[in-house]
Amino acid sequence: MSFMPNARIIAATTALLCGPVFLGAAPAEAQDGGFRDCLNTIKADALKQGVPAQVIDRAFQGLTPDQKVVDLDNRQPEFSLTYAKYVGGTVSLDRIQKGQQKMAQHRALLDQLQAEYGVPPQYLMAFWGIETNYGTYMGDFRVVRSVATLACMTKRREFFSNETVQALRILNMNHMTSDQMRGSWAGAMGNMQFMPSTFTKWAVDRDGNGRIDIWNSLPDAFASAANFLRGIGFKPGLPSSEEVMLPANFPLEQADTTVEKPVKAWAAMGVKKMNGGALPAVDDAASILLPAGFRGPAFIIYPNFKAVMNWNRSTLYALSVGILARQIAGGPPVQQPAPADDAPISRDTVIDMQMRLARLGLYKDEADGLLGPKTRSALRLFQQQQALPADGHPTQESVRRLQAVR
């Protein structure tokens, strides 16, 4: 994903493109002989995948690690953002209006892609808007240097060694120079911020000029995104998510991504669309999500939500895509506001919560300071024990009760 000035909140909560951030750089000697040895190992892998030696040598000539990339990889957000802060900063009026304008401007192409790939235009616009603010900020880091630095100077060697090999393959197939191939500090590239491995697997030469250019060719960028989304499970029909009204007696413990029921089963429990209309009478598996707790908005998440999560593993990111896409298409904004007192929680507080939940036998994973599904599930169990609303949301009262347990 991208790291744009107007979307720093996304960068603060989503690690690289997929998965957790790993702290710590390799020893200082990796900057000389160790770094060169690492590059030689990557070169051997690239040669096995058919990249000519001259392409590799040209890309690696004079290559040094980028300390700025290491610093950015080591930088952890002190606070986890709330639903209101994240979505409020991502789904802005300006981004909605620009998305509508861009969709109208490229309607013919987008309609063709929808017919071929089954991805509605508003979703392509939503990804484009969130990733690079419609192509206005695609990053200016040299991709080969970035991914090689991350491979050789951090603990994610295996992942980024492969990304470096794939970047070399792109240089070879597209007849580019490493200086031309630029992107985010983590190696995400072009209008849609593809990692090199995503590019080599899913990118499409839509304009038929013999090169795949996701930087300058919108047909290539849009078709590549549509091909990727279809490949990771996006299907025509239901949206990725939709705001809903829950009945007064709704069992909060079932508002969890691990609880799936047919859409019509949720409807039978009294869940309705926000306008009071009935949910689709379909058997597709769906879950209920309360990103700001039971006092905030409720969403039903359909199978396409999982596809969006395959693009980026952040739940709030995936929600933002669905909310932005709906409004670009002319739909309503989210009706239920988040609680005004919903405050960010520091990483130290989350770690403390995880350790206390672990001592109570409710949490069995690493105390990593990330407020993920396992932590929320453990907190929900604690809330049930304390006769609190069991929504898995770390309200001030829930945290206070947990900290009071000895």
Side-chain angles (χ1 to χ4, degrees), residues 223-273:
S224 297
N227 189 43
F228 179 40
L229 282 167
R230 181 179 66 176
I232 58 179
F234 197 102
K235 296 179 180 179
L238 297 171
S240 60
S241 61
E242 187 171 15
E243 189 181 10
V244 293
M245 292 190 296
L246 303 181
N249 61 347
F250 184 85
L252 292 176
E253 66 275 7
Q254 295 199 27
D256 188 86
T257 54
T258 62
V259 178
E260 291 188 334
K261 300 177 187 289
V263 176
K264 61 185 182 183
W266 292 117
M269 292 174 62
V271 179
K272 297 180 179 180
K273 292 187 176 184

Side-chain angles (χ1 to χ4, degrees), residues 169 185 212 254 314 382:
R169 289 183 61 205
W185 66 265
I212 304 173
Q254 295 199 27
S314 163
F382 175 77

Side-chain angles (χ1 to χ4, degrees), residues 170-189:
I170 296 168
L171 292 180
N172 182 48
M173 73 174 73
N174 262 15
H175 310 292
M176 304 172 69
T177 67
S178 58
D179 189 62
Q180 290 172 327
M181 192 164 71
R182 292 180 177 265
S184 77
W185 66 265
M189 311 177 298

Side-chain angles (χ1 to χ4, degrees), residues 10-296:
I10 301 175
T13 54
T14 309
L16 301 177
L17 181 66
C18 48
V21 172
F22 290 78
L23 292 176
E29 60 265 23
Q31 296 188 30
D32 38 65
F35 184 73
R36 187 54 52 181
D37 289 343
C38 177
L39 292 184
N40 287 335
T41 300
I42 293 172
K43 177 179 178 178
D45 290 339
L47 288 169
K48 291 177 183 177
Q49 295 198 34
V51 183
Q54 60 267 32
V55 172
I56 304 170
D57 292 340
R58 186 164 57 246
F60 284 174
Q61 184 176 8
L63 192 68
T64 58
D66 188 336
Q67 186 59 43
K68 188 175 182 181
V69 169
V70 175
D71 293 342
L72 287 165
D73 185 55
N74 286 342
R75 185 177 299 164
Q76 292 278 13
E78 182 181 356
F79 290 89
S80 59
L81 289 172
T82 62
Y83 157 84
K85 283 284 188 182
Y86 191 109
V87 175
T90 306
V91 185
S92 64
L93 179 60
D94 178 68
R95 189 164 283 162
I96 294 166
Q97 292 175 340
K98 284 184 179 177
Q100 292 171 337
Q101 294 165 3
K102 296 291 185 182
M103 188 165 69
Q105 180 182 351
H106 302 288
R107 191 79 212 200
L109 171 62
L110 294 169
D111 285 347
Q112 291 172 7
L113 294 175
Q114 181 175 13
E116 294 176 30
Y117 296 99
V119 179
Q122 63 266 27
Y123 276 90
L124 294 181
M125 295 300 96
F127 279 106
W128 190 25
I130 292 174
E131 291 291 351
T132 63
N133 199 24
Y134 305 106
T136 60
Y137 188 81
M138 291 184 274
D140 198 36
F141 286 81
R142 289 173 55 193
V143 169
V144 172
R145 189 183 186 200
S146 290
V147 292
T149 295
L150 290 164
C152 300
M153 300 289 290
T154 76
K155 294 182 179 180
R156 299 195 72 187
R157 174 167 291 201
E158 182 177 355
F159 177 82
F160 279 104
S161 290
N162 178 59
E163 293 300 329
T164 307
V165 171
Q166 301 312 311
L168 294 168
R169 289 183 61 205
I170 296 168
L171 292 180
N172 182 48
M173 73 174 73
N174 262 15
H175 310 292
M176 304 172 69
T177 67
S178 58
D179 189 62
Q180 290 172 327
M181 192 164 71
R182 292 180 177 265
S184 77
W185 66 265
M189 311 177 298
N191 277 277
M192 298 299 194
Q193 294 291 273
F194 274 20
M195 292 298 290
S197 60
T198 305
F199 183 107
T200 55
K201 186 172 183 179
W202 302 109
V204 173
D205 175 20
R206 179 71 185 191
D207 59 22
N209 67 354
R211 292 182 65 241
I212 304 173
D213 186 353
I214 60 174
W215 294 266
N216 303 298
S217 170
L218 289 181
D220 286 6
F222 294 166
S224 297
N227 189 43
F228 179 40
L229 282 167
R230 181 179 66 176
I232 58 179
F234 197 102
K235 296 179 180 179
L238 297 171
S240 60
S241 61
E242 187 171 15
E243 189 181 10
V244 293
M245 292 190 296
L246 303 181
N249 61 347
F250 184 85
L252 292 176
E253 66 275 7
Q254 295 199 27
D256 188 86
T257 54
T258 62
V259 178
E260 291 188 334
K261 300 177 187 289
V263 176
K264 61 185 182 183
W266 292 117
M269 292 174 62
V271 179
K272 297 180 179 180
K273 292 187 176 184
M274 203 59 190
N275 63 6
L279 294 176
V282 296
D283 290 320
D284 299 68
S287 300
I288 302 297
L289 189 64
L290 300 173
F294 76 99
R295 297 178 298 156

